[in-house]
Amino acid sequence: MIHPSGNLYVVKVFLVDIKMVNFGKRLIQDQVQEWKEYYINYKLMKKRVKQYVQQTPADGKHRQQVLKEFSRILDEQIEKVVLFMLDQQGWLASRLEKLGEEHAILSEQQDNSRISELQEAYRAVGHDLVKLLKFVDMNATGIRKILKKFDKHFDYRFTNYYVSTRSNHPYSQLQQVFKHVGIGAVVGALSRNLAFLQDCEGSSLSIYDHPSAVLKDPVIDLINASVDKLTHATSFLQFLGQHALIVQEDRPCATDDRVDDQRYHFMSLLLNLANTFLYMMNTYIIVPTADDYSLNLGAAATVCGVIIGSMAVAQVFSSVYFSAWSNKSYFKPLLFSSIMLLLGNLLYASAYDLSSLAVLIIGRLLCGLGSARAVNRRYISDCVPLKIRMKASAGFVSASALGMACGPALAGLLQTKFRIYSLTFNQNTLPGWVMALAWLIYLIWLWISFQEPVLDSEENHFPQGSHVVGQLENAVVQPLLSCESKNDEEVDLDYDGSEEASEKSHEPASSIASAYRLLTPSVKVQLLIYFMLKYAMEILLAESSVITTFYFSWSTSSVAIFLAVLGLTVLPVNAIVGSYLTNIFEDRQILLSSEIMLLIGVILSFRVTEPYSAPQYVCSALLTFVSAEVLEGVNLSLLSRVMSSRLTRGTFNGGLLSTEAGTLARVLADGTITFAGYLGEDKLLNVTLLPSLLICIVSIAATLLTFNTLF
């Protein structure tokens, strides 16, 4: 770690030196010398991989022999690491037990001079724990790299086989590396006793009485940082950040903070979050009245599907050029976005007096062309300092959720009618006029307050150093053996004289086709799930006004309240999942359970008997929507871990692919509503739910097939 006050030239040399050292050498340099016999023999395993590549014939029998032999070697190496780790944990536990006895005696005697000595003894245990965590981290990195090297040179997805067979076994030693079992208990004991010694001198309270209180002891901060680096954290903020596919970084250094501080501007971040909020509000503010608007323009009520979906159609294209544009600027695409949305809403509102459905749809298309969510995500990933990035990511998701809820709620309040000159203001046109005014105010605020971040080429004058900063900056907190680990690929410095890592293998995807070729089966399943949940949600939301009017004779205000309540469930649901469920269950277990619950919600939504009741519709809709929300967060959390590092940057990144999958789902769902409308409104509900049912069943089957690879 480089000290913040360190000389910039020293930073440059340090980073260049890192680039020139391969992992095998770094493993030797960084290992604790007295523990060197317990580290994995990376050099031996790399040598075996080369031998297999040179000697293995094409026949499958010999291939199976190689896989069996290499599995045995890897098992032995992991067992060596795990047994030593358990031995060290036992040693730390015995030291804590002895210190606990001294602590008990001290509590009775109240010897203040001894308190300081006992604190230092606990801190010494803490520093030894940090050393052990670094030992686990170094070995886990070596295991991850050798698995990746085997897959690359042996042309076989050995990682999927090895991880799935070892991690789920009841006697799994790999789980010890995955979960570092027992370390949490050591951290808890240290935290509790240090907290007691720190503030007590007699206090009867403990950290368990105040779970929100943070122990301000440097060694605990150091331990927590090491644990966070080892494992995928499950806090609410990180869950929300991954929900947005904005992921926390690994291995931060002082140079990253310096670059972030130069780029970061609070008002610019606030403008990006405001853009997200207004765009989501703009998307859903027309849902309660789109069917009535289409009737007033002489079309069928189910044409609301085309009206709502036209914004998503344009977003399919806008996501690509906004993603590319954000490589060069943030201000200009946000400015363009605001202008498009201002003009689009003016056309949407004017279509009523012009009696033109074409103008209405063109207005919505312009709104879709202003979708700058790719820019909003990119700004948070690139320009917000690491220390607050997860809060900003949570803000992004919260802004989206609030916009989704506020849109229909605001539409329910705009139940009035008046004219100014030749312009009509009613429940159909007011959403357009109100959003046009909102975007005009935003445009002025953007022009006055936004500060364009300094680009890499402008802020760094040492290309090699900045290149490595970029590599380090893109590392992500991943499970230790994620087969597509971002950190592993981003900072894959492992090469020797006969085998240098090519720069091309680390370049971001240059097209949708090249990005698709990087998709593993696991990632494809995650994108299918994302498509499925967005399809189901869009069917539910877009046809809600038509369905509730036809079956229950709900007013526009009633529909608006219903949709607002659905939208407001997003934050509490994510809070429960992010803070509790992910601490109890694995993400993949929550994923599968959510898919099943979504399937049940869709099935319950079908109209099977007469009459179709409002309680049935509301309960099934709530189950479907909440399940989809849980599914979205967990799905993107998993996606951020299993996708290739080449899909985490550049124009055609994982965020763009997921956005395109979701947008395409919305387009098809809205088209399905309009198509089904030709069969009659009495058949609309069942006809539109049938594709949701089939896609959900397919996604559950695909999840079961790839379940063991979802880490």
Side-chain angles (χ1 to χ4, degrees):
M1 180 68 70
I2 305 168
H3 195 274
S5 60
N7 183 277
L8 194 60
Y9 174 75
V10 176
V11 172
K12 173 187 174 182
V13 172
F14 177 81
L15 290 172
V16 173
D17 285 345
I18 288 180
K19 185 178 180 181
M20 298 306 295
V21 179
N22 64 45
F23 177 77
K25 292 181 179 178
R26 187 152 56 89
L27 178 62
I28 296 173
Q29 291 175 359
D30 294 350
Q31 65 186 209
V32 180
Q33 286 305 306
E34 59 266 31
W35 294 354
K36 62 181 181 181
E37 63 185 287
Y38 303 107
Y39 286 84
I40 62 169
N41 193 335
Y42 184 76
K43 184 177 181 180
L44 169 66
M45 290 191 291
K46 190 169 71 169
K47 185 177 180 180
R48 286 297 178 91
V49 172
K50 290 182 180 179
Q51 290 175 351
Y52 295 149
V53 173
Q54 294 170 358
Q55 299 173 3
T56 301
D59 63 279
K61 184 177 180 180
H62 191 77
R63 177 186 288 262
Q64 290 301 317
Q65 183 180 347
V66 166
L67 296 177
K68 183 177 180 180
E69 181 181 340
F70 192 69
S71 296
R72 179 185 57 78
I73 294 172
L74 199 50
D75 287 340
E76 291 173 352
Q77 294 293 319
I78 292 174
E79 182 176 276
K80 177 175 65 175
V81 171
V82 168
L83 291 178
F84 178 73
M85 185 175 74
L86 293 174
D87 178 68
Q88 289 297 306
Q89 287 180 8
W91 180 60
L92 292 174
S94 64
R95 289 169 63 187
L96 286 173
E97 184 180 7
K98 291 179 181 178
L99 291 174
E101 295 172 358
E102 296 180 31
H103 191 173
I105 297 172
L106 185 62
S107 299
E108 299 174 359
Q109 297 178 350
Q110 289 296 311
D111 186 351
N112 290 335
S113 62
R114 185 73 182 106
I115 287 179
S116 179
E117 295 178 13
L118 197 56
Q119 283 178 324
E120 290 305 315
Y122 275 116
R123 291 187 184 113
V125 175
H127 285 294
D128 285 338
L129 177 58
V130 170
K131 187 165 70 171
L132 180 61
L133 287 169
K134 290 180 179 178
F135 167 84
V136 178
D137 180 38
M138 185 65 73
N139 283 287
T141 302
I143 294 168
R144 191 168 57 229
K145 282 182 172 290
I146 203 65
L147 286 169
K148 176 185 166 188
K149 186 177 288 292
F150 190 97
D151 286 353
K152 178 180 178 181
H153 295 289
F154 202 63
D155 192 26
Y156 183 80
R157 298 298 294 177
F158 175 72
T159 299
N160 289 347
Y161 156 75
Y162 188 82
V163 173
S164 62
T165 54
R166 267 59 177 177
S167 63
N168 292 320
H169 196 278
Y171 304 136
S172 171
Q173 293 178 328
L174 196 59
Q175 281 284 18
Q176 294 284 341
V177 184
F178 261 123
K179 304 294 184 183
H180 32 276
V181 179
I183 285 178
V186 178
V187 176
L190 282 170
S191 301
R192 184 183 67 81
N193 286 285
L194 279 172
F196 183 87
L197 292 170
Q198 187 179 73
D199 79 5
C200 95
E201 279 115 1
S203 171
S204 62
L205 298 178
S206 74
I207 58 171
Y208 302 110
D209 297 307
H210 298 284
S212 61
V214 179
L215 177 61
K216 302 296 183 182
D217 195 289
V219 72
I220 299 299
D221 290 340
L222 196 59
I223 291 170
N224 288 334
S226 299
V227 171
D228 287 343
K229 183 163 168 279
L230 271 171
T231 190
H232 168 60
T234 53
S235 70
F236 179 37
L237 290 183
Q238 291 201 337
F239 180 82
L240 285 179
Q242 289 168 328
H243 191 137
L245 269 186
I246 303 169
V247 286
Q248 186 69 292
E249 293 173 347
D250 191 21
R251 302 176 186 264
C253 69
T255 309
D256 297 331
D257 292 336
R258 180 184 65 79
V259 172
D260 284 340
D261 289 339
Q262 286 183 359
R263 289 181 168 191
Y264 176 62
H265 181 237
F266 173 74
M267 191 58 70
S268 300
L269 171 62
L270 196 60
L271 281 160
N272 273 279
L273 297 180
N275 183 281
T276 297
F277 172 79
L278 289 175
Y279 183 79
M280 292 303 292
M281 179 186 284
N282 208 149
T283 301
Y284 290 99
I285 194 173
I286 72 160
V287 172
T289 57
D291 57 333
D292 187 59
Y293 205 164
S294 61
L295 286 171
N296 278 282
L297 295 179
T302 51
V303 174
C304 68
V306 172
I307 297 172
I308 297 169
S310 55
M311 195 167 174
V313 170
Q315 191 180 340
V316 171
F317 304 98
S318 65
S319 297
V320 178
Y321 66 72
F322 272 119
S323 182
W325 205 347
S326 61
N327 291 324
K328 300 178 181 179
S329 173
Y330 298 96
F331 174 70
K332 291 179 180 178
L334 288 176
L335 187 67
F336 178 78
S337 164
S338 306
I339 294 172
M340 288 294 101
L341 283 153
L342 173 61
L343 294 176
N345 281 289
L346 288 174
L347 288 177
Y348 181 86
S350 303
Y352 187 89
D353 292 307
L354 296 173
S355 299
S356 174
L357 182 63
V359 171
L360 182 73
I361 293 176
I362 290 172
R364 289 291 287 178
L365 286 170
L366 288 180
C367 289
L369 291 175
S371 172
R373 287 171 64 80
V375 181
N376 306 144
R377 278 195 185 104
R378 187 72 174 270
Y379 184 88
I380 294 172
S381 295
D382 292 353
C383 304
V384 175
L386 180 63
K387 55 192 175 186
I388 64 169
R389 189 164 302 157
M390 272 301 146
K391 291 182 179 179
S393 304
F396 175 85
V397 176
S398 301
S400 297
L402 290 174
M404 183 179 179
C406 289
L410 181 58
L413 298 175
L414 300 177
Q415 302 300 302
T416 186
K417 185 175 182 179
F418 59 92
R419 290 180 65 87
I420 298 179
Y421 298 107
S422 60
L423 298 178
T424 302
F425 296 85
N426 58 23
Q427 66 172 8
N428 296 323
T429 63
L430 275 171
W433 294 121
V434 169
M435 291 311 305
L437 178 61
W439 285 112
L440 178 61
I441 295 171
Y442 177 83
L443 186 60
I444 297 170
W445 181 23
L446 179 74
W447 187 270
I448 295 172
S449 303
F450 192 85
Q451 180 178 303
E452 183 75 271
V454 180
L455 297 176
D456 286 341
S457 58
E458 298 171 355
E459 69 192 12
N460 295 316
H461 303 288
F462 45 98
Q464 287 179 303
S466 64
H467 175 67
V468 179
V469 170
Q471 289 181 323
L472 295 176
E473 191 176 11
N474 280 325
V476 66
V477 175
Q478 300 287 10
L480 295 180
L481 293 180
S482 174
C483 61
E484 292 292 339
S485 170
K486 179 175 178 182
N487 180 53
D488 187 25
E489 291 188 7
E490 281 296 330
V491 198
D492 189 7
L493 309 175
D494 181 23
Y495 65 91
D496 52 30
S498 62
E499 177 193 355
E500 296 197 4
S502 72
E503 290 295 323
K504 186 176 181 180
S505 66
H506 301 302
E507 292 177 357
S510 57
S511 65
I512 288 288
S514 62
Y516 181 80
R517 286 193 292 271
L518 293 172
L519 301 182
T520 63
S522 299
V523 177
K524 290 177 181 177
V525 170
Q526 300 302 105
L527 292 177
L528 171 63
I529 294 171
Y530 195 66
F531 176 92
M532 178 271 293
L533 70 91
K534 285 297 182 182
Y535 186 94
M537 287 177 70
E538 189 69 11
I539 288 290
L540 169 63
L541 297 174
E543 72 177 12
S544 59
S545 183
V546 178
I547 295 298
T548 54
T549 301
F550 180 79
Y551 287 108
F552 320 126
S553 301
W554 282 8
S555 65
T556 300
S557 297
S558 299
V559 177
I561 292 171
F562 169 68
L563 293 176
V565 169
L566 284 182
L568 288 174
T569 62
V570 172
L571 289 180
V573 166
N574 280 326
I576 293 170
V577 175
S579 299
Y580 299 104
L581 293 185
T582 51
N583 290 327
I584 302 173
F585 304 102
E586 295 181 13
D587 281 356
R588 56 182 179 169
Q589 293 173 326
I590 301 174
L591 181 85
L592 184 58
S593 300
S594 301
E595 288 182 89
I596 294 172
M597 294 304 295
L598 179 58
L599 177 63
I600 294 172
V602 171
I603 292 173
L604 292 177
S605 298
F606 277 89
R607 178 175 63 88
V608 180
T609 60
E610 293 287 354
Y612 188 59
S613 66
Q616 178 187 349
Y617 176 77
V618 171
C619 292
S620 60
L622 188 62
L623 179 60
T624 300
F625 189 84
V626 169
S627 300
E629 277 301 318
V630 174
L631 189 57
E632 181 174 7
V634 178
N635 180 64
L636 291 181
S637 173
L638 282 168
L639 182 60
S640 69
R641 284 182 273 162
V642 299
M643 67 182 177
S644 167
S645 68
R646 293 177 63 188
L647 294 175
T648 60
R649 58 197 191 279
T651 300
F652 301 96
N653 52 60
L656 175 64
L657 292 179
S658 63
T659 299
E660 294 291 84
T663 304
L664 182 60
R666 290 173 54 204
V667 171
L668 293 177
D670 293 324
T672 302
I673 293 171
T674 300
F675 173 78
Y678 290 106
L679 302 177
E681 291 188 16
D682 60 324
K683 296 183 176 62
L684 177 66
L685 180 65
N686 287 354
V687 171
T688 53
L689 286 175
L690 188 58
S692 295
L693 178 66
L694 295 176
I695 299 171
C696 191
I697 292 172
V698 170
S699 72
I700 291 174
T703 302
L704 290 171
L705 288 174
T706 59
F707 189 76
N708 288 331
T709 65
L710 301 177
F711 290 94

